[in-house]
């Protein structure tokens, strides 16, 4: 096909969506509109979709330094003069007709909090593509990065797949693995996944547009799904986990979500920061499950010891 592909972009104001929108624009793909999710619980007399226009602040006589106009997909859309819509009911005929009018070749999704109905999935002739931060079919669901840390995965990745009416179950178009290194934070892994995902998305769209893309169905026998984590998912049975697993889970999720509770014998120790782990014995008293060494509390795990620092709460 001649020319360049037109993409309708669905995303959110978090850090995962922005790199994909940036990548689309930098790769020469025409983004015809950007769509944000709104409140799905609105009353029936409110518009299912509406256009968001930029505010017009008072003119300043001072120069603007280090402008952050593109610090979210909202600012980036306004900066590039791309129509920006907020949608409350995706399946409403008004929403469908509004988005259909842009005549996109492809729909691109990078983190969107609403299920996308068939009426939207069928708008674009090349299909609807999702950027999912796991190596599908493993870790389907809304927060795969959390489960990467919870399950102690040494590797994750990004998948570009066709969207269908299932949950992350469409055919796979592209994947790239990402190592999960010791001490990696949620923010670091999310940023790396978003960066790689944006580049992979653009490459895939161009291949689809040129007719050279190949897709493969997911192996349902290898699939796994995880929902939103509950309180119990922030509790760690240290006697069942290796020290490296405990360390990486605390580093991965504590700053993102709040404290993690370690079940140590009959005690519950709430921590926010881990600084190290060791496979060596860190306590001179064999019967002790934890001991202090300087400012660090060393806790016995299934194999090895993990070191945490204040704030620490004993229950």
């Amino acid at each position: 096909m001649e020319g360049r592909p037109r993409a309708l972009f669905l995303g959110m104001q978090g850090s995962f969506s922005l790199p994909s929108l940036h990548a689309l624009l930098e790769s020469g793909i025409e983004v015809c509109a950007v769509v944000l999710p709104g409140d799905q619980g609105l009353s029936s007399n409110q518009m299912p979709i509406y256009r968001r226009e930029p505010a017009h602040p008072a003119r300043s006589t001072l120069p603007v330094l280090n402008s952050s106009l593109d610090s979210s997909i909202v600012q980036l859309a306004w900066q590039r003069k791309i129509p920006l819509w907020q949608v409350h009911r995706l399946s409403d005929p008004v929403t469908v007709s509004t988005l259909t009018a842009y005549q996109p070749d492809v729909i691109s999704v990078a983190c969107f909090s609403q299920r996308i109905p068939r009426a939207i999935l069928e708008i674009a002739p090349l299909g609807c593509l999702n950027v999912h931060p796991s190596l599908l079919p493993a870790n389907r669901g809304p927060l795969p990065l959390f489960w990467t840390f919870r399950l102690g995965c040494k590797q994750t990745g990004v998948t570009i797949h066709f969207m269908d009416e299932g949950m992350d179950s469409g055919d796979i178009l592209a994947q790239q693995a990402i190592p999960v290194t010791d001490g990696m934070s949620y923010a670091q892994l999310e940023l790396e996944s978003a960066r790689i995902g944006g580049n992979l998305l653009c490459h895939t769209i161009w291949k689809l547009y040129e007719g050279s893309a190949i897709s493969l169905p997911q192996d349902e026998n290898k699939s796994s799904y995880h929902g939103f984590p509950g309180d119990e998912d922030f509790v760690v049975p240290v006697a069942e986990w290796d020290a490296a697993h405990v360390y990486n889970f605390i580093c991965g999720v504590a700053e993102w979500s709040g404290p993690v509770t370690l079940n140590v014998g009959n005690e519950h120790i709430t921590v926010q920061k881990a600084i190290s782990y060791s496979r060596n014995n860190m306590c001179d008293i064999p019967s002790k499950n934890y001991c202090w060494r300087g400012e660090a509390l060393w806790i016995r795990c299934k194999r090895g010891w993990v070191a945490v620092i204040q704030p620490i709460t004993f229950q």
Side-chain angles (χ1 to χ4, degrees), residues 86-247:
Q86 189 141 355
V87 61
H88 302 298
R89 291 186 293 275
L90 268 174
S91 59
D92 191 283
V94 173
T95 300
V96 176
S97 63
T98 298
L99 300 183
T100 300
Y102 285 102
Q103 298 182 312
D105 297 305
V106 66
I107 299 174
S108 305
V109 182
C111 189
F112 201 76
S113 60
Q114 297 181 21
R115 292 292 291 269
I116 300 176
R118 178 179 292 275
I120 298 295
L121 294 175
E122 294 178 343
I123 285 176
L126 295 181
C128 183
L129 309 187
N130 185 43
V131 183
H132 185 79
S134 83
L135 293 175
L136 292 174
N139 289 346
R140 294 173 177 172
L143 283 178
L145 295 184
F146 171 86
W147 296 102
T148 295
F149 290 110
R150 177 73 191 180
L151 298 172
C153 301
K154 298 296 184 182
Q155 176 180 270
T156 184
V158 179
T159 301
I160 308 299
H161 67 97
F162 282 120
M163 296 191 75
D164 55 23
E165 291 183 281
M167 178 62 77
D168 305 318
S169 55
D171 289 359
I172 293 172
L173 287 153
Q175 287 187 313
Q176 185 171 330
I178 301 172
V180 182
T181 57
D182 278 352
M184 198 173 205
S185 70
Y186 192 102
Q188 289 171 327
L189 183 55
E190 182 178 50
L191 184 62
E192 182 68 357
S193 300
R195 182 189 65 80
I196 291 173
N199 293 333
L200 208 58
L201 173 66
C202 297
H203 180 71
T204 303
I205 289 175
W206 276 109
K207 290 185 72 173
L208 274 173
Y209 192 68
E210 295 162 355
S212 60
I214 298 174
S215 63
L216 296 172
Q218 296 189 36
D219 185 347
E220 291 299 323
N221 293 323
K222 297 180 180 179
S223 68
S224 60
Y225 173 85
H226 304 283
F228 289 101
D231 291 343
E232 68 279 5
D233 297 310
F234 294 90
V235 178
V236 175
V238 296
E240 300 174 15
W241 288 21
D242 290 349
H245 188 178
V246 177
Y247 170 74

